Amino acid sequence: MKHFLALAGNDLRVLYRTGYLWATLAVFALLLLIATQVSRLDLAGYADFVAAIILFDVVLTPVLVIGLMILLERGEGSFVALAATPLQRGIYVAARAVTVSLVSIMEMLLLVLIAYDGAMSPALLVAGLLGIAAIASLFAFVAVAPFNALYSFVLPMIGWILFLGMPGYGVLLGWNPLWLAWHPTAPSMALLTAAFAPASVAGIAYGLAGTAAWLGLGAAIANRAVRHMQLQAVGG
């Protein structure tokens, strides 16, 4: 726990020092402006629109921020030091994923409180937000692992953001093919949409079980991606 807290505190300092935190706040402000303006139109399906907006930001922030933080660390040689310490990779991955996820969901909770005045389930909202943010954070390690420079990461990053946000587009456009149920963020998106509209017990169970399964798989592949980056750093 001591190592986890130390790493989480360091990540918060890096977010502040590099200005990445202010970048996420700028995106949040833009999305908040869009959500509040659309709410004035009395748009049918506004809850679905809010859910899609939330998913977009909760995916974008972790992929962007974790990608930039790792590229910064690789440029500074931090992965060489990480490979030489007894610190477990799982703690490093968990600390970063939790830190960035919490920053992301706090922004979205604020957006919901400001822009949405309908009935909702706070428990399902938090569960859906945490699931999406954590899964996106874990996949961010995989997304950035092959790259050492920002210019080469930009297009793949956009691709990963579009891929992880697919369930949101399905909700927004009324497009929900059966195969999309196997998408990494679909179970968490089910919890998120259930926060704004009545949902069946089976739907909520699918959301909880699917989110847990994807978190487990995401943690495994994120740890493998960090191991790959450590081996590259030491020339292995």
Side-chain angles (χ1 to χ4, degrees), residues 19-31:
Y20 297 160
L21 182 60
W22 305 116
T24 68
L25 290 175
V27 174
F28 160 73
L30 176 61
L31 294 178

Side-chain angles (χ1 to χ4, degrees), residues 2 19 33 43 48 59 65 70 84 123 133 145 155 159 178 182 218 227 231:
K2 181 175 70 174
L33 177 63
L43 181 69
D48 288 343
V59 164
V65 171
I70 288 178
L155 288 179
L178 291 177
W182 298 96
R227 180 176 179 272
L231 291 175

Side-chain angles (χ1 to χ4, degrees), residues 31 52-63 101 104-105 108 128-134 136-137 192:
L31 294 178
I53 284 283
I54 289 172
L55 177 68
F56 175 76
D57 188 73
V58 176
V59 164
L60 182 148
T61 296
V63 175
S101 295
S104 179
I105 71 166
M108 289 301 98
L129 286 174
L130 278 174
I132 294 168
S137 295
L192 187 60

Side-chain angles (χ1 to χ4, degrees), residues 87-197:
L87 180 67
Q88 295 180 358
R89 282 189 297 271
I91 296 176
Y92 167 82
V93 170
R96 178 147 301 171
V98 168
T99 302
V100 175
S101 295
L102 289 177
V103 169
S104 179
I105 71 166
M106 284 190 292
E107 293 176 354
M108 289 301 98
L109 286 173
L110 182 59
L111 183 146
V112 171
L113 289 174
I114 295 174
Y116 186 74
D117 59 0
M120 65 176 176
S121 167
L124 290 175
L125 175 63
V126 172
L129 286 174
L130 278 174
I132 294 168
I135 290 169
S137 295
L138 293 171
F139 274 87
F141 288 93
V142 181
V144 74
F147 307 101
N148 292 307
L150 178 59
Y151 71 88
S152 59
F153 176 57
V154 170
L155 288 179
M157 177 187 70
I158 293 172
W160 275 97
I161 291 170
L162 292 174
F163 166 68
L164 291 171
M166 282 180 66
Y169 316 141
V171 168
L172 191 59
L173 301 174
W175 175 64
N176 190 29
L178 291 177
W179 60 263
L180 197 58
W182 298 96
H183 188 280
T185 59
S188 298
M189 186 63 183
L191 296 177
L192 187 60
T193 53
F196 298 104

